C-alpha cells in the first residue's frame, strides 16, 4: 500500500474538537486506500507558552533542558489524536521522535536531522495501525531528546516521508497552500498551484512561514513532493512543491517578510580580525540561523541578522553575546525585512532598488538598506511598517489575483 505522510500544524490540533476533526480526515485518507503516518505539532500556542515559562524560570535556560520541556508539547498532541482515533475504533499508535527513529545532531533547540531509521513505524504500519508521530523532535548522538527549531514539525514530516518512500507529504494548516504573500496581510494574494523547490526555498528563507525552509531543502534533496493544504477545507485546493520546469524569464513569485530581525554588529580594527570575530559569532549562532551576513565596506562593521523566532531567549541573548565575545560585538536595533522573491531577480537589483525606494518614500516607509541575492531583493525597514510594506510591494509588483 502506498504511504501518505500528513502533518497537522498547531492550529489544526488546538483543541479537542479540532483533534476529532483531524481524526476524521485521517480516516478519510485511509478509506482511499493509503497507509497513513501522521505528524503533529503542539496544540495551539503551547510551544510559545513553554518557552515563556522556561524564560521565567531562568535567564538563560540550558538548551538541553529546554528541549526536554518543549518536546512535551508535541507528545500531548500525539497521545490525544491517537485517543481520538481509538474512539473511532481505528487502530493507531503514538510514537515520540526518538521512538520513531528520527536521529539528529546535538545542536539543542535547532538540531538537524541526520538520519531516519523507521523500522518501528514500518512494523506498526504492517500491523495495520495508523502511526501518529510527535513532530519537532528527535534523538541526538548522546541519546538525549532534541528539537528541530521553531516550525520544525515540517522537517519531521518531510524526513519521515523520505525515509518511508511515501507517495507525498501533506502539510496541513490553516491556509490552503502557498500564496504570493501572506493572505492574512494581503487580501487579494494569489495562490500558487505549483512551485519549484528553489522558489519555495527562497520564499521560506525570506520569511514565508507556511513551510519551514529546512523542510523544503530536505524535500528537494530527497525528492519528496510536498502538498500544502488546508486541514479543514480540503476542497479549497493547495500548492504542490516539486521539481517543475523553471521559466526562462525571471519572474516574481511572491513577497515575503521577516517581522523582527535582530542584528549582531561586529566591529574590529582590521578587516581581518573583524571577519575572524564575525565567523566565530556565526559559528556560535548556528550558521543556518543567520538570515543576512553583510560586510560594510573594507573596514566597516559586519552585521549578522537573525530572525527573532530563531532565538529561544531574545532578551537574554544580547547579554550572552556581550559576555561571550567582547565590546566589539553588540546587538543593534531590530529591523524587519521585506523581499520580492523570484528566480533570477537579482539581475534586476539596481532598477528595482531605486524604484522601491521611491515607492517606499511616498508611502512614508523608510528603507534603511537594500540587498540583493540571486533570487531575491530585500529591503530592511522598521518593524512597525512591515505589513504596509508587504501590501505596497505586492501591489506594485502586480501579483494580485486577477478578479
Ligand atoms: N511546535 C513547534 C513550534 O511551534 C514545532 C512546529 O509547530 O512545527 O515551532
Ligand atoms: Mg509551521
Amino acid at each position: 500500500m502506498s504511504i501518505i505522510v500528513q502533518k497537522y500544524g498547531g492550529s489544526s490540533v488546538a483543541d479537542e474538537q479540532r483533534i476529532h476533526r483531524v481524526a476524521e480526515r485521517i480516516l478519510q485518507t485511509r478509506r482511499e486506500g493509503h497507509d497513513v503516518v501522521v505528524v503533529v505539532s503542539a496544540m495551539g500556542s503551547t510551544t510559545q507558552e513553554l518557552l515563556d515559562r522556561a524564560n521565567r524560570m531562568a535567564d538563560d535556560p540550558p538548551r538541553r533542558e529546554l528541549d526536554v520541556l518543549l518536546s512535551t508539547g508535541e507528545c500531548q498532541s500525539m497521545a490525544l489524536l491517537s485517543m481520538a482515533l481509538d474512539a473511532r475504533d481505528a487502530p493507531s499508535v503514538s510514537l515520540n521522535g526518538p521512538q520513531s527513529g528520527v536521529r539528529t545532531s546535538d545542536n539543542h533547540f535547532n538540531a538537524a536531522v541526520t538520519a531516519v531509521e523507521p523500522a518501528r513505524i514500518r512494523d506498526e504500519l504492517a500491523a495495520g495501525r495508523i502511526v501518529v508521530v510527535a513532530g519537532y523532535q528527535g534523538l541526538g548522538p548522546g541519546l538525549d531528546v532534541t528539537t528541530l527549531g521553531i516550525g520544525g514539525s515540517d522537517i519531521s514530516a518531510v524526513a519521515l516521508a523520505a525515509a518511508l518512500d511515501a507517495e507525498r507529504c501533506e502539510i496541513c494548516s490553516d491556509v490552503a497552500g502557498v500564496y504570493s504573500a501572506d493572505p492574512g496581510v494581503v487580501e487579494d494574494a494569489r495562490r500558487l498551484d505549483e512551485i519549484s523547490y528553489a522558489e519555495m526555498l527562497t520564499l521560506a528563507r525570506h520569511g514565508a512561514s507556511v513551510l519551514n525552509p529546512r523542510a523544503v531543502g530536505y524535500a528537494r534533496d530527497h525528492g519528496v513532493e510536498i502538498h500544502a493544504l488546508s486541514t479543514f477545507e480540503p476542497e479549497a485546493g493547495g500548492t504542490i512543491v516539486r521539481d517543475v520546469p523553471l521559466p526562462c524569464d525571471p519572474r516574481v513569485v511572491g513577497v515575503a517578510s521577516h517581522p523582527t530581525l535582530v542584528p549582531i554588529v561586529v566591529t574590529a580594527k582590521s578587516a581581518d580580525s573583524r571577519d575572524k570575530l564575525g565567523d566565530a559569532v556565526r559559528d556560535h549562532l548556528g550558521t543556518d540561523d543567520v538570515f543576512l551576513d553583510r560586510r560594510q565596506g573594507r573596514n566597516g562593521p559586519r552585521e549578522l541578522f537573525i530572525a527573532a523566532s530563531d532565538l529561544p531567549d531574545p532578551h537574554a541573548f544580547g547579554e550572552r553575546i556581550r559576555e561571550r565575545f567582547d565590546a566589539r560585538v553588540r546587538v543593534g536595533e531590530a529591523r524587519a525585512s521585506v523581499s520580492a522573491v523570484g528566480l533570477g531577480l537579482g539581475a534586476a537589483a539596481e532598477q528595482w532598488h531605486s524604484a522601491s525606494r521611491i515607492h517606499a518614500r511616498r508611502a512614508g516607509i523608510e528603507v534603511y538598506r537594500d540587498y540583493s541575492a540571486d533570487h531575491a531583493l530585500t529591503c530592511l525597514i522598521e518593524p512597525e511598517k512591515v505589513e504596509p510594506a508587504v501590501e505596497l510591494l505586492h501591489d506594485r509588483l502586480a501579483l494580485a489575483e486577477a478578479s
Side-chain angles (χ1 to χ4, degrees):
M1 243 200 297
S2 67
I3 298 174
I4 292 189
V5 174
Q6 286 180 342
K7 180 253 170 178
Y8 293 97
S11 67
S12 303
V13 293
D15 55 36
E16 289 77 12
Q17 193 217 341
R18 289 184 202 206
I19 293 177
H20 279 299
R21 288 169 69 195
V22 164
E24 287 296 338
R25 192 179 185 288
I26 293 165
L27 292 181
Q28 177 59 34
T29 309
R30 269 275 273 218
R31 283 192 289 273
E32 286 160 15
H34 304 282
D35 273 340
V36 190
V37 174
V38 182
V39 174
V40 283
S41 290
M43 297 170 72
S45 51
T46 302
T47 302
Q48 190 57 51
E49 285 156 21
L50 292 171
L51 204 46
D52 292 345
R53 180 169 291 209
N55 286 328
R56 284 196 302 273
M57 186 57 74
D59 269 351
D60 189 11
R63 291 196 172 200
R64 179 192 181 280
E65 304 310 329
L66 201 51
D67 278 0
V68 174
L69 184 69
L70 295 179
S71 68
T72 63
E74 272 66 15
C75 291
Q76 295 178 18
S77 310
M78 73 174 187
L80 292 170
L81 179 55
S82 193
M83 291 175 196
L85 288 164
D86 182 73
R88 288 165 174 77
D89 289 326
S92 73
V93 62
S94 69
L95 300 175
N96 65 21
Q99 288 173 309
S100 60
V102 177
R103 301 275 181 267
T104 74
S105 66
D106 62 0
N107 183 22
H108 284 287
F109 193 74
N110 252 332
V113 173
T114 50
V116 180
E117 291 151 14
R120 174 78 189 268
I121 296 183
R122 285 200 187 280
D123 288 348
E124 299 292 353
L125 290 175
R129 298 194 182 98
I130 296 166
V131 181
V132 184
V133 176
Y136 178 54
Q137 54 188 265
L139 190 65
L143 304 186
D144 285 332
V145 68
T146 54
T147 66
L148 309 180
I150 292 304
S153 293
D154 292 356
I155 309 172
S156 312
V158 169
L160 287 169
L164 293 163
D165 208 8
E167 191 171 306
R168 60 177 182 268
C169 178
E170 297 182 354
I171 304 277
C172 308
S173 70
D174 49 10
V175 285
V178 181
Y179 285 72
S180 54
D182 179 347
V185 175
V186 178
E187 219 175 289
D188 54 6
R190 186 168 42 87
R191 198 192 39 244
L192 311 166
D193 294 331
E194 218 180 36
I195 184 171
S196 67
Y197 292 116
E199 289 166 313
M200 189 61 234
L201 188 57
T202 315
L203 268 179
R205 283 248 328 130
H206 287 80
S209 56
V210 356
L211 294 174
N212 177 291
R214 284 195 236 169
V216 179
Y218 201 103
R220 176 199 56 197
D221 295 345
H222 295 81
V224 174
E225 195 170 293
I226 297 178
H227 292 219
L229 304 166
S230 150
T231 303
F232 299 123
E233 290 171 51
E235 65 289 347
T239 301
I240 300 179
V241 187
R242 63 174 160 212
D243 255 329
V244 289
L246 297 173
C248 306
D249 299 326
R251 64 159 179 177
V252 189
V253 289
V255 174
S257 61
H258 278 295
T260 316
L261 289 168
V262 181
I264 314 298
V265 185
V266 181
T267 34
K269 293 219 173 56
S270 70
D272 182 45
S273 64
R274 172 199 62 183
D275 282 345
K276 274 209 195 104
L277 186 58
D279 289 344
V281 175
R282 209 184 146 113
D283 279 347
H284 175 73
L285 296 170
T287 45
D288 264 357
D289 297 334
V290 177
F291 170 62
L292 270 175
D293 179 348
R294 294 293 133 151
R295 292 158 176 82
Q296 293 221 55
R298 264 180 61 80
N299 299 312
R302 176 166 164 190
E303 290 176 316
L304 307 170
F305 289 86
I306 309 160
S309 56
D310 287 332
L311 299 170
D313 49 1
H315 299 296
F317 175 74
E319 257 332 291
R320 206 175 57 227
I321 281 282
R322 256 190 298 280
E323 267 165 33
R324 159 109 206 204
F325 300 95
D326 53 35
R328 293 172 301 160
V329 180
R330 64 180 175 82
V331 177
E333 205 180 325
R335 298 290 187 232
S337 67
V338 193
S339 308
V341 171
L343 295 185
L345 276 191
E350 236 164 80
Q351 305 100 284
W352 189 83
H353 283 311
S354 56
S356 64
R357 274 178 186 279
I358 294 168
H359 291 309
R361 197 174 312 124
R362 279 196 203 129
I365 299 168
E366 186 178 352
V367 176
Y368 295 112
R369 206 88 53 71
D370 34 39
Y371 295 119
S372 59
D374 290 347
H375 308 314
L377 302 163
T378 297
C379 296
L380 293 187
I381 60 170
E382 59 184 310
E384 290 71 36
K385 293 285 168 63
V386 68
E387 292 197 357
V390 167
E391 283 182 296
L392 177 75
L393 187 54
H394 191 268
D395 183 59
R396 288 290 134 189
L397 293 169
L399 288 173
E401 181 122 56
S403 54

